[in-house]
Amino acid sequence: MSSITKRVVIQFILVVFVILLLIGLFFLGIFIGYVYVGKGQSSDAFNPATWHHILDFVK
């Protein structure tokens, strides 16, 4: 592999890693916000019915 190809592969891996890290932190933030800050049950944190109710309340 040439050095340019290696750099492109490394940059691609870094971008994918950062995107996955951001997605993971987003869901962690949802969990922490719902369970610890909002005092909800952990089993309801990712329940679609819960989020439909929250979105209906915001509308």
Side-chain angles (χ1 to χ4, degrees):
M1 243 194 251
S2 68
S3 67
I4 294 175
T5 306
K6 284 182 182 179
R7 274 194 279 170
V8 169
V9 169
I10 289 172
Q11 289 294 325
F12 178 75
I13 291 171
L14 286 175
V15 167
V16 170
F17 175 74
V18 168
I19 290 172
L20 290 175
L21 182 66
L22 289 174
I23 291 170
L25 289 173
F26 174 75
F27 284 109
L28 181 65
I30 287 175
F31 184 79
I32 290 172
Y34 188 81
V35 175
Y36 295 107
V37 176
K39 305 295 185 206
Q41 293 182 357
S42 61
S43 60
D44 291 337
F46 297 110
N47 187 356
T50 302
W51 294 101
H52 285 288
H53 176 71
I54 291 171
L55 290 176
D56 288 340
F57 182 72
V58 172
K59 290 180 185 177

